[in-house]
Amino acid sequence: LGSPALAADLPIKAPSLRPAFDWSGFYIGAHTGYSRGSSSAVLTDPLAVSTNSVISGVIGGVQGGYNVQLPSGLLLGVEVDLTFPNYFTSNTIISTLTGARSDVFNQLDYVGTVRGRLGYASGPWLLYATGGFAFAGERFVNTPDLGPDQKVINVRPGWVAGAGVEYAFAPHWTVRLEY
């Protein structure tokens, strides 16, 4: 007669290995940063005086997206963001034009993107390239010497490309540097 089998004698299945951090899923967040750019006006009126502007200052906004991390570490994702200037004159006025009877300025209201992300994730680190559609909301305001202001609001389309590095310092928190 054999001895009775005990639970400790049964083979144990090893648990499956899971990545230390999984970048897959939906996310939302906020961002802040610094922007800098320059602008110059092309004029057809020889009597008007324009200024070359340097645009700089703190910006901030929101973003959201979805990522899929493959077992190889390859990451595929999509992200949408909307960014706003701080509304100080140095950060919103793109160009000004002073004419004989009016002042015109071009102001930036917001900037947004819809981008794809392609990257490589290794634990809490993610390196990625990004690119896609960009848009900016701007307004032109003409302030004549007499009469009410005249406003024209435009949405300008464009493109965006960049790269970044992101680090997950807690289960649901990351920090990134993106250009």
Side-chain angles (χ1 to χ4, degrees):
L1 296 168
S3 62
L6 300 174
D9 296 335
L10 297 175
I12 298 174
K13 182 179 176 185
S16 61
L17 293 176
R18 295 179 55 202
F21 187 84
D22 187 6
W23 290 89
S24 296
F26 287 101
Y27 63 91
I28 59 170
H31 60 266
T32 186
Y34 183 81
S35 71
R36 182 168 171 79
S38 63
S39 171
S40 62
V42 177
L43 305 174
T44 57
D45 182 358
L47 299 177
V49 176
S50 69
T51 60
N52 292 338
S53 297
V54 173
I55 306 141
S56 64
V58 175
I59 57 173
V62 295
Q63 79 263 359
Y66 184 79
N67 291 324
V68 174
Q69 181 179 346
L70 303 177
S72 65
L74 184 67
L75 181 120
L76 305 170
V78 63
E79 181 170 289
V80 176
D81 64 60
L82 196 57
T83 304
F84 302 94
N86 62 18
Y87 292 104
F88 291 127
T89 302
S90 66
N91 200 20
T92 62
I93 304 298
I94 298 172
S95 296
T96 60
L97 171 70
T98 303
R101 291 185 224 127
S102 68
D103 294 325
V104 177
F105 67 90
N106 178 216
Q107 178 179 0
L108 182 65
D109 290 334
Y110 60 86
V111 176
T113 68
V114 178
R115 300 175 284 140
R117 290 202 318 168
L118 175 65
Y120 178 75
S122 178
W125 289 96
L126 172 64
L127 296 171
Y128 63 92
T130 184
F133 177 72
F135 56 94
E138 67 177 357
R139 82 179 58 222
F140 290 91
V141 179
N142 181 12
T143 307
D145 290 342
L146 300 172
D149 288 355
Q150 302 164 348
K151 296 178 186 175
V152 176
I153 298 174
N154 293 322
V155 176
R156 290 193 178 230
W159 59 273
V160 62
V165 61
E166 193 165 353
Y167 178 71
F169 62 89
H172 299 289
W173 292 90
T174 67
V175 62
R176 76 166 75 161
L177 182 62
E178 185 175 86
Y179 181 78

